[in-house]
Amino acid sequence: MAVVIKSEACKGCKLCISACPFDAIEMQGKVAVITEKCTACNQCIDACPFHAISREAANLKEVDLDAYKDIWVFAEQRDGRLMNVSKELLGEGRRLAEAMGGDTKVYAVLMGDAVENLVQTCAAYGADGVYLAEETHLSHYTTDGYAKVFTEMIEGYKPEIVLYGATHIGRDLAPRVAARLNTGLTADCTRLDVSVAAYKAYAEKYTTLDTSTLDATSQDRTLLQTRPAFGGNLMATIVCPKTRPQMATVRPGVMQQCEKDMTRKASVIRIEPALCETDIRTEVIEVVKQAKAMVSLSDAEIIVSGGRGLGTEEGFKLMETFAAKVGGTVGASRAAVDAGWIDHVHQVGQTGTTVKPKVYFACGISGAIQHLAGMQDSDLVIAINRDPEAPIFEVADFSIVGDLYKIIPQLIESWDDIMY
Ligand code: FAD
């Protein structure tokens, strides 16, 4: 959908210009015109007293799908360090490139100021080539600067698939680029595949869907983008059949990195970004890093994890007291992290850290499959839950049924007696 101005109805009152938060409307003579900065937020439509602005279905031009080739990975770096999710996506890109066959190549897109030293890291983790865009205005991430440069690169080189980490930056950048290119984007994918044949194999293995009508011999290059839907109750596989590139953000910690090989070489394609100060509406004055407690869940011998059953952020104070008593580290379920009660670095499970401590306390955690995936190899699991049917008890060595707010204070009080 695009926002359009009917020039014959426009009276040149400029109310839309003051209403637009994106500076995306300008006057051409006596008529207002939408520029490429438009994000289709609709503010101008409400502001126009003459009903001269409306939202219209974009007239999608037929895209020549064959003009697009190769897989790009947005190589996200912070302070000159390549993010782990980018390494994972390079590994996934390699896997997809093999499935796509032909001479499909994997490229990392490295943007920043003086980041050339990361080219070798990208190669080591699977990139055949690196698009290197270095510019002082790219030294800090800005939505405007990165979206402009990345969009222009995609328009110029036409990649078939573009992958981003579902990080704060990836989640900000990818939708802007998708909107400017008028292509699709699937957010937060946990699985990627190509071709109908791959989908058929997947559906037969994991679902009861009738796949007999699918063309198993098709060698099409459709990216099958799978992500949880309806609160994680089902997995949806999404395709982008008519436009290119096919774009996805992928959660950190889900895909596999390739084995690091520092002898691998990558070609370098230098990009000269056409960027000036007026292209970027924000100015980074200072970067303030939030000091995060050092959490090393993977090395911890004792973990005290809290879940939604804590009921409130305050519940983690009890977890900390308990952890301090038993000499453990605080972990959490994703529900507690998503509620904003504790930082993601504490999350245990499929999209958090996989742990194998000597003792794992699961407090107010139901035992969803994604949580079990990250802790079920612990030597000893002690679960506290008021629901005797909670699935966590199936993997627990000791099951304590009851209110954690009654049980944990008792455990803290009598811990020394229990131990000695
Ligand atoms: P709930 O399922 O709501 O369970 C709360 C439990 O607390 C209940 O069993 C209840 O009986 C108990 N309880 C309530 N009050 C008390 C009390 N006072 N005393 C004692 N017990 C009480 N989850 C993860 O944990 N890690 C992951 O990495 C992860 N990755 C995911 C990836 C994907 C793709 C998807 C779709 C989901 C993922 N999840 C993950 C989410 C997972 O499916 C569950 O939603 C989540 O683990 C539930 O967290 P919980 O057990 O804390 O909450």
Side-chain angles (χ1 to χ4, degrees), residues 289-321:
K289 291 194 180 146
Q290 190 192 345
K292 278 188 184 165
M294 290 293 287
V295 182
S296 182
L297 282 172
S298 33
D299 302 331
E301 296 207 334
I302 300 178
I303 294 176
V304 172
S305 270
R308 193 172 0 228
L310 290 174
T312 139
E313 185 175 355
E314 295 298 301
F316 274 98
K317 293 216 172 100
L318 179 63
M319 292 293 99
E320 277 163 24
T321 312

Side-chain angles (χ1 to χ4, degrees), residues 188 190 227-229 231-235 251 254 306-311 332-336 338 341 344 347-353 363-372 374 384-388 390-392 400 402-407:
D188 277 1
T190 53
R227 56 152 298 154
N233 289 319
L234 61 85
M235 301 302 275
R251 288 201 181 160
V254 177
R308 193 172 0 228
L310 290 174
S333 73
R334 182 160 145 196
D338 286 351
W341 299 342
H344 177 261
Q347 186 177 312
V348 173
Q350 183 185 317
T351 45
T353 307
C363 312
I365 292 177
S366 60
I369 186 87
Q370 297 89 352
H371 188 82
L372 300 185
I384 305 166
N385 198 303
R386 66 179 176 196
D387 174 7
I392 191 74
I400 307 177
D403 182 351
L404 67 89
Y405 284 104
K406 289 194 182 134
I407 292 161

Side-chain angles (χ1 to χ4, degrees), residues 31 36 64 83 103 112 139 147 164 198 208 212 220 228 235 270 273-274 328 331:
V31 177
E36 57 155 20
D64 175 10
M83 302 286 286
D103 60 347
S139 60
Y164 309 74
T208 52
S212 57
D220 72 359
M235 301 302 275
R270 281 179 194 279

Side-chain angles (χ1 to χ4, degrees), residues 10-11 32 69 77 87 112 124-125 140 153 178 241 270 287 299 335 344 396 398:
C10 175
K11 303 282 185 247
K69 196 169 173 310
Q77 55 84 23
K87 298 174 189 170
Y125 285 95
H140 292 295
M153 285 166 71
R270 281 179 194 279
V287 178
D299 302 331
H344 177 261
F398 291 99

Side-chain angles (χ1 to χ4, degrees), residues 170-181:
R171 286 177 172 165
D172 184 74
L173 176 64
R176 316 289 166 140
V177 174
R180 288 174 193 206
L181 295 169

Side-chain angles (χ1 to χ4, degrees), residues 82-133:
L82 190 65
M83 302 286 286
N84 276 342
V85 67
S86 303
K87 298 174 189 170
E88 291 157 14
L89 290 181
L90 287 169
E92 180 63 9
R94 286 245 62 82
R95 197 183 69 75
L96 293 172
E98 273 161 37
M100 288 164 85
D103 60 347
T104 306
K105 294 210 164 28
V106 180
Y107 287 92
V109 179
L110 198 49
M111 298 163 78
D113 185 22
V115 287
E116 188 171 358
N117 59 320
L118 291 179
V119 166
Q120 185 51 47
T121 313
C122 292
Y125 285 95
D128 297 308
V130 178
Y131 286 93
L132 180 63

